[in-house]
């Protein structure tokens, strides 16, 4: 009797554990669906279903043996694995080693959404005026997901900031540029026209450190600026252990 009871407990534990795992995947998948309702339809049998009925694998079920491998071969599930902690105070959460929410990306997903080739991406680009009361600089951004409208709203709010804060954002380093991330074969998010780099002279980037194997987190960007970007669905590269404090990209699935 005791053996049967123990066996039953083990069985129930196994079932509940697997149901929990499935629920977790379901919830993560629906972060994507909720974030991109104009593109995504459903999650079924480990696939994200697009509105045109195409499918993309959610969990590739492959073990990534190193952080580099994770970056180079991320599944959609990997893309959502690290929690992005939004700015809630003047200070922000200092990331732990390799805590880079949003830096792990599934490139196939972004190609399907924003354009599979450079020419297809360019067809979705429009010009916007950045901070017209202060700089009035022309930027090229995508219309996909209304990113152009969201950046215009961000621009309007930044234009109302005091001069001491405007200096961080009034001279952006760039938006659209079709290129690979330096030292990799992965496309930069700038390639899709849904990312922006703010004033490079007020920013820090981990690769600028003399010792790239033992760098220390640095940041000058005020949290008030970060909160404005997050309000419209943009995550901040200053939230990464591999910090890139000039960088913002449209990733609403991480802000839900």
């Amino acid at each position: 009797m005791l053996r049967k009871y123990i066996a039953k407990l083990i069985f129930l534990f196994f079932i509940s554990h697997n149901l929990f795992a499935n629920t977790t995947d379901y919830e993560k998948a629906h972060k994507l669906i909720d974030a991109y309702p104009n593109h995504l339809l459903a999650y079924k049998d480990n696939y994200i279903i697009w509105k045109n009925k195409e499918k993309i694998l959610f969990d590739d079920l492959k073990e990534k043996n190193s952080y580099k491998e994770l970056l180079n071969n991320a599944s959609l599930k990997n893309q959502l694995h690290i929690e992005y902690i939004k700015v809630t105070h003047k200070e922000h959460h200092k990331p732990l080693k390799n805590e880079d929410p949003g830096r792990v990306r599934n490139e196939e997903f972004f190609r399907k959404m924003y354009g599979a080739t450079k020419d297809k991406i360019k067809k979705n680009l429009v010009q916007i005026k950045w901070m017209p009361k202060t700089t009035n600089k022309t930027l090229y951004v995508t219309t996909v997901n209304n990113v152009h409208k969201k950046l215009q709203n961000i621009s309007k709010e930044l234009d109302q900031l005091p001069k001491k804060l405007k200096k961080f954002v009034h001279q952006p380093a760039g938006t659209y540029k079709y290129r690979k991330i330096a030292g990799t074969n992965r496309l930069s998010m700038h390639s899709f026209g849904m990312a922006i780099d703010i004033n490079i002279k007020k920013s820090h980037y981990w690769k600028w450190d003399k010792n790239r194997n033992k760098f220390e987190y640095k940041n000058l960007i005020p949290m008030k600026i970060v909160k404005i970007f997050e309000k419209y669905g943009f995550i901040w590269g200053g939230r990464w252990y591999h910090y890139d404090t000039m960088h913002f990209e449209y990733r609403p699935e991480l802000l839900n």
Side-chain angles (χ1 to χ4, degrees):
M1 289 293 292
L2 182 60
R3 286 184 179 180
K4 287 184 178 180
Y5 179 71
I6 293 173
K8 186 175 181 179
L9 286 177
I10 293 172
F11 175 77
L12 289 172
F13 173 81
F14 178 81
I15 292 296
S16 64
H17 177 75
N18 278 274
L19 286 173
F20 178 75
N22 290 336
T23 301
T24 301
D25 282 1
Y26 178 88
E27 290 174 347
K28 287 181 178 179
H30 273 267
K31 283 183 177 291
L32 287 169
I33 295 165
D34 292 343
Y36 303 104
N38 294 332
H39 302 274
L40 307 180
L41 183 63
Y43 168 69
K44 185 179 180 182
D45 299 330
N46 196 28
Y47 282 93
I48 294 289
I49 314 297
W50 296 71
K51 286 200 168 181
N52 63 3
K53 306 305 179 183
E54 291 183 4
K55 297 192 297 186
I56 183 171
L57 192 65
F58 181 70
D59 183 1
D60 61 9
L61 303 175
K62 295 178 181 177
E63 185 176 348
K64 312 304 190 296
N65 295 316
S66 68
Y67 187 63
K68 184 177 181 180
E69 186 179 352
L70 180 65
L71 289 174
N72 290 330
N73 300 290
S75 68
L76 277 178
K77 183 176 180 178
N78 294 146
Q79 182 172 301
L80 295 163
H81 181 65
I82 305 173
E83 181 186 3
Y84 183 96
I85 300 175
K86 293 169 67 174
V87 171
T88 54
H89 306 288
K90 290 183 179 179
E91 298 300 325
H92 70 94
H93 169 73
K94 187 175 179 180
L96 304 174
K97 186 172 183 179
N98 293 339
E99 184 184 353
D100 296 333
R103 189 167 174 256
V104 176
R105 311 176 183 99
N106 179 278
E107 191 170 300
E108 180 187 1
F109 177 78
F110 295 101
R111 284 183 178 274
K112 279 182 177 289
M113 185 169 292
Y114 292 100
T117 66
K118 182 178 181 179
D119 288 341
K120 288 181 179 179
I121 292 167
K122 289 178 74 172
K123 288 179 181 179
N124 293 320
L125 298 178
V126 294
Q127 293 182 8
I128 67 167
K129 290 295 183 179
W130 184 253
M131 299 179 68
K133 294 181 180 179
T134 307
T135 302
N136 202 33
K137 187 173 183 177
T138 300
L139 300 177
Y140 287 87
V141 295
T142 187
T143 59
V144 178
N145 296 315
N146 285 322
V147 167
H148 65 307
K149 293 181 180 180
K150 293 178 173 70
L151 275 173
Q152 284 177 321
N153 287 333
I154 291 169
S155 170
K156 288 177 183 178
E157 291 202 30
L158 295 176
D159 231 353
Q160 305 303 316
L161 293 177
K163 188 176 181 180
K164 65 179 181 179
L165 293 179
K166 284 185 180 182
K167 65 183 179 182
F168 293 94
V169 289
H170 76 294
Q171 290 293 343
T175 48
Y176 168 74
K177 187 174 183 180
Y178 195 87
R179 62 176 176 83
K180 291 182 179 179
I181 299 170
T184 79
N185 287 317
R186 306 190 308 273
L187 278 181
S188 162
M189 291 295 101
H190 289 279
S191 301
F192 300 110
M194 41 74 86
I196 182 171
D197 287 343
I198 56 176
N199 192 347
I200 195 171
K201 293 180 180 179
K202 301 292 183 182
S203 303
H204 292 91
Y205 181 42
W206 72 277
K207 282 191 173 181
W208 293 344
D209 269 287
K210 292 181 180 178
N211 186 350
R212 293 185 184 180
N213 294 320
K214 197 175 181 180
F215 50 85
E216 292 185 10
Y217 183 90
K218 301 176 182 68
N219 174 56
L220 291 174
I221 309 301
M223 295 303 100
K224 189 167 185 177
I225 289 171
V226 177
K227 289 176 76 172
I228 291 172
F229 276 93
E230 289 182 346
K231 176 182 174 182
Y232 292 97
F234 285 76
I235 64 167
W236 176 45
R239 183 60 192 80
W240 302 338
Y241 172 75
H242 295 87
Y243 52 89
D244 186 358
T245 66
M246 73 191 84
H247 181 82
F248 292 88
E249 63 185 72
Y250 184 69
R251 299 289 299 284
E253 73 273 20
L254 295 173
L255 293 166
N256 289 349

